Every structure is written in C-alpha cells, then in structure tokens.
Amino acid sequence: MSQSFTVIGAGLVGVCCARHLQREGFKVRLVEKGEPGRGASFGNAGSFGTASCVPFAMPGILKKVPKMLLDSESPLKLRWSHVPGALPWFLSSIANSRRARVEAIAAARQSLLLHVHEGYAPLIEDAGAEQWVKGDGLLMVFESEAAFAGAAYALDLRRRHGVHMDILDGNEARQIEPALAKTVVRAVSLPDVHRTIDPFRLCSALAQDFVRRGGEIVQAEVKGFEIGPSGPTKIVTDTGTLDVDQVVIAAGVWSRPLAKQLGTAVPLEAERGYHVMFADPGFGLRRAITSVDRSISLADMHDGIRASGAAEFAAPDAAPDMRIADMVMRHAKQLLPGLKGEPASKWMGPRPSHPDSKPVIGRSPRHRNAFFAFGHDHLGLTMAGITGRLVAELAAGKPTTVDLAPFRPDRF
Ligand SMILES: Cc1cc2nc3c(=O)[nH]c(=O)nc-3n(C[C@H](O)[C@H](O)[C@H](O)COP(=O)(O)OP(=O)(O)OC[C@H]3O[C@@H](n4cnc5c(N)ncnc54)[C@H](O)[C@@H]3O)c2cc1C
C-alpha cells in the first residue's frame, strides 16, 4: 500500500484525520477550499457532548414536527423550496424514531463518545492547545415541569449509558449559575462534559501543528476525481489536478457530492445552526448551558457569551436567514435576562446530518484507497478526534478501537 494520504476538507474532522494519519507515520496533505476551521466547525457551541448519545429523532417526533414548523419561535425551520430535497431525509428520520432504532443508534453513538478523550488528548497535547479546552461541566435547564417530564426517556438513555447526572431544582441551578432566569424550574448537571472556549482557534492550533510536523495544506476546491482500475488516482480541483495515493473525504456537508462521484450515495443534509456573540456581556457563565425548552446553548467563549441553536433544513450554501439568529438571540435574552443590547456578530454553519444520527466512518465500499469521515451532525466537534483515530487505524491495517459496522457508508 502506498503511504501518502490526501484529506479533503480541513474542518475539525479533516484536521483530526490528518493529524492521526500523520501520527501513524503517513505523509499527509489537506485540501481545503477556504480557511481551515471556517465551515461548521467555526461557530459551534463548544461542548464535547460526551453525554449526547440521544439521537435527533426520538419517539413522538412525527406529532411534534408540524406544530414546530408553524411556530415562529421554534428551533426547527424548513425552507419550502427545499421540501422535495429534504423529504426522503425526514421520512427516514421518522423511521429511525422507533424505540428499537433509537436504542441501537444511542448505543452506536455512545461507542464513539466513550473514546472522545483518547481521540483528542494526544492531538491537543502535541499542539500545546490546552488553553482552548476547559472541563467545567454542562447544565441542562428546564422551564416547565412538562419539559422535564418529556425528557424522561432521553435522561434514562443517558443514565443507562453510564452518564453521570445530578438532578437539581431551579434554585439549586441558580446557585451554580446566578445569571439564569427565575423561569428555570429544573436542571440536570452533567459534571463530566468538557468544552472548548473557541472551536475555531482549537481547529487552527491543530492545523498549525499539522503543518509544523511536515503536513501540507493546499488551498483548492475539489471538483471531482480521475478514477483508475484501483480507485481514484487524481483529484480535480479548481486550480488543477493533483496525484493521490489514498484519499479521505472529510468535507462536512459538502461530502455528499464527492462520495457520490466515488460511487456511494449518502442521505447527507445540511441542518443549519446559528449563533450570536455577546462580546462584552458584563458577566460570565461558569458552565455551558443547554435549554431543553428552547433548544439553545449558551457558553462563555474566548470572545464573549455565545448563544447558539436552531436546525434549518436548506441547501448548505443558501444565504443565511439572520432572522433565525435573531430568534436565538431572543431566547438567550429570556433565559439570561442580564444579556442586553445587540450581539457583536451573527453566524450560520451547516451541520452535516444523516437521518440516523450517525456519522459515516469507514472505507469506501467501491475503492480500497478511499475513506469517508463525515456526517457528525450535532457532535462533530466531540467526535472529530476519535473519528481521526479510527480512520488512521483503518489506514494502518490495525484493529479499530470501535466497531465500525454501525457507521458503514453503505448502510443506507
Ligand atoms: C450552531 C451549532 C452548534 C454546534 N454545537 C456543537 C457542539 O457543542 N458540540 C459538537 O460536538 N458539535 C457541535 N456542532 C456540530 C459541529 O460543529 C459539526 O458537526 C462539525 O463542525 C463538522 O465538522 P466537519 O469537519 O465535518 O465539517 P466542517 O467544519 O464544515 O468542515 C468541512 C470543510 O471542508 C471544506 N470543503 C468542503 N468541500 C470542499 C471541497 N470540495 N474541496 C475542498 N474543501 C472542501 C469546507 O470549506 C470546510 O472547511 C454544532 C454545529 C452548529 C452549526
């Protein structure tokens, strides 16, 4: 087997794949159409969601969706022009919301979540990027007893997968986080959840370390492949062609057309999330906060408090609808009444999501010299390190730390 790898996409997943391949001794090149870490990885909520085995589609989703789509303050948005494109995704998602499927999906997600730390720790240490990571836990908050009762199955799934949780009342939650509104009546403290205070700077630090260790970053957009009898031999980019020995597609939501060109169809959709940044809020947060009623997250970042959320199904590159960012901002101000004024910035990023809430990690079913690593939906920051490690193990012909059967590219 030839020893050089070309990784397409320098988001957190691509950069972690590149670094782990490098650690296995391969010569690695990253090809990125923009700047490393500027895709979905740029503006996420920053939580290493080790307590997040719960999938997107839970039992009862079919009843909730129509109401959510009609509610202007709901996190779920669907561009009507995108309905025909997204319909198969939604139908498959509903099929995956059956309890037996949810149990299997949660177990598969958990199999990756168990290894988040060992996937990241060596990369963070190599890069000296410890200052971007903190370990102060997450607080999940509820503003009604009904919302808390509605989360019983999701909490039980977590508990059964060994997640440590402490149940608090509203006052106990405000003792931990005085900035929370009086409307908070219940909370679940998840002390073992870590976070980054800047996902973009973390990704940049890992990418810089990759270059320091002899890796090459080529700025070009991959348009397609030249394919020989044993797989892709060249990538065709907007600036010319490049010879490749082995390729990894890690281009986030944009992986779908690239995988298709290599003969594998995947139902990858853009689940577009938004954030707003309050640069100088005048107070801090001790923990990351997730509001279950509002489906938003709040976190103290390097540059201020970030409020993020929403799931808008639309084409990945369609213009952002900043009214959704404004909705996230309104929710944030209601949950943290001390947040005042206009945000310093607003952002949209496309989560790469499959309808079964699992990434694709594995070798291309058609070509032995092609590997896939994409579709990490709400957990791409969390799972990037272990994904990179698994790709590198596969590439080196080693047994993989995690059974990759649930993540096969040809499972759809
Ligand atoms: C609002 C929000 C909050 C989130 N919160 C969390 C969280 O708290 N925890 C968590 O774990 N996850 C979270 N996520 C999800 C996480 O951000 C994503 O799953 C993750 O960033 C996906 O990483 P990626 O590397 O696969 O994709 P991306 O970061 O999108 O990277 C893909 C890269 O590929 C490049 N590319 C694409 N096509 C080509 C091409 N043809 N040629 C060359 N380059 C190409 C792109 O320019 C891009 O840089 C959140 C997401 C959002 C939107």
Side-chain angles (χ1 to χ4, degrees):
M1 244 218 244
S2 181
Q3 297 297 296
S4 94
F5 270 80
T6 297
V7 179
I8 304 171
L12 278 158
V13 174
V15 170
C16 288
C17 287
R19 278 295 295 119
H20 275 290
L21 285 163
Q22 224 176 19
R23 284 173 63 87
E24 281 292 344
F26 294 105
K27 186 166 183 274
V28 188
R29 171 209 276 152
L30 266 166
V31 183
E32 166 57 52
K33 66 180 176 179
E35 186 188 354
R38 285 270 172 196
S41 299
F42 177 81
N44 61 53
S47 283
F48 291 103
T50 43
S52 306
C53 61
V54 179
F56 172 86
M58 291 287 277
I61 191 176
L62 188 54
K63 276 197 203 139
K64 289 185 193 154
V65 164
K67 192 165 164 259
M68 288 174 87
L69 287 174
L70 294 173
D71 176 358
S72 63
E73 294 298 287
S74 137
L76 185 64
K77 309 285 177 209
L78 173 59
R79 290 222 181 158
W80 295 112
S81 57
H82 198 61
V83 171
L87 192 60
W89 192 99
F90 273 104
L91 294 176
S92 175
S93 202
I94 287 162
N96 279 305
S97 69
R98 284 179 295 117
R99 200 168 271 244
R101 287 292 305 138
V102 168
E103 292 284 331
I105 292 167
R109 282 163 71 94
Q110 186 66 16
S111 71
L112 295 173
L113 296 179
L114 283 175
H115 301 281
V116 166
H117 181 69
E118 63 198 86
Y120 262 113
L123 308 191
I124 289 173
E125 193 185 326
D126 283 356
E130 292 83 357
Q131 79 266 33
W132 304 118
V133 180
K134 281 191 160 191
D136 29 30
L138 182 135
L139 206 56
M140 204 185 275
V141 301
F142 300 82
E143 289 170 87
S144 67
E145 290 294 343
F148 184 63
Y153 177 46
L155 293 176
D156 181 52
L157 258 182
R158 289 184 174 90
R159 197 174 290 115
R160 281 189 282 121
H161 282 293
V163 175
H164 178 102
M165 294 183 287
D166 299 311
I167 310 293
L168 311 175
D169 64 25
N171 289 332
E172 288 166 328
R174 276 180 293 278
Q175 273 167 25
I176 295 174
E177 209 56 84
L180 281 171
K182 296 268 184 292
T183 47
V184 171
V185 292
R186 291 275 196 163
V188 177
S189 167
L190 300 150
D192 300 329
V193 173
H194 286 54
R195 66 192 182 90
T196 172
I197 57 168
D198 194 324
F200 173 64
R201 285 185 169 94
L202 175 64
C203 190
S204 300
L206 300 181
Q208 282 161 20
D209 190 42
F210 165 75
V211 174
R212 220 170 13 242
R213 292 168 192 278
E216 180 194 11
I217 301 182
V218 175
Q219 192 181 4
E221 179 170 359
V222 177
K223 301 284 191 186
F225 304 89
E226 285 184 18
I227 300 179
S230 36
T233 54
K234 289 182 196 296
I235 54 170
V236 180
T237 80
D238 57 349
T239 59
T241 58
L242 292 167
D243 292 334
V244 294
D245 292 328
Q246 318 213 35
V247 291
V248 180
I249 298 182
V253 75
W254 298 276
S255 301
R256 181 176 180 162
L258 297 174
K260 181 91 188 293
Q261 291 191 53
L262 294 184
T264 299
V266 288
L268 193 60
E269 280 289 327
E271 203 190 318
R272 306 183 346 153
Y274 288 78
H275 85 213
V276 291
M277 286 297 299
F278 292 89
D280 195 9
F283 64 96
L285 297 173
R286 293 186 193 153
R287 305 218 179 161
I289 297 173
T290 295
S291 159
V292 174
D293 310 65
R294 302 172 186 277
S295 292
I296 60 160
S297 297
L298 290 143
D300 228 348
M301 292 280 174
H302 181 64
D303 295 328
I305 290 184
R306 174 173 296 171
S308 51
E312 181 199 30
F313 288 82
D317 294 311
D321 178 354
M322 287 308 174
R323 291 172 304 180
I324 299 176
D326 292 340
M327 179 198 77
V328 170
M329 177 190 70
R330 282 194 296 279
H331 280 300
K333 287 182 168 181
Q334 285 159 18
L335 191 63
L336 299 182
L339 280 181
K340 306 275 185 230
E342 281 300 302
S345 60
K346 302 176 186 178
W347 171 86
M348 181 282 291
R351 299 181 193 91
S353 297
H354 290 123
D356 64 358
S357 297
K358 291 184 295 176
V360 158
I361 306 170
R363 201 183 283 273
S364 149
R366 292 280 287 273
H367 307 293
R368 275 199 66 74
N369 67 337
F371 298 81
F372 298 151
F374 53 77
H376 296 74
D377 59 67
H378 294 237
L379 291 179
L381 161 69
T382 309
M383 293 176 172
I386 180 59
T387 298
R389 177 165 166 167
L390 292 165
V391 167
E393 286 170 349
L394 267 185
K398 293 181 173 175
T400 53
T401 303
V402 175
D403 174 17
L404 289 179
F407 310 106
R408 289 172 61 96
D410 56 0
R411 66 180 187 268
F412 300 103

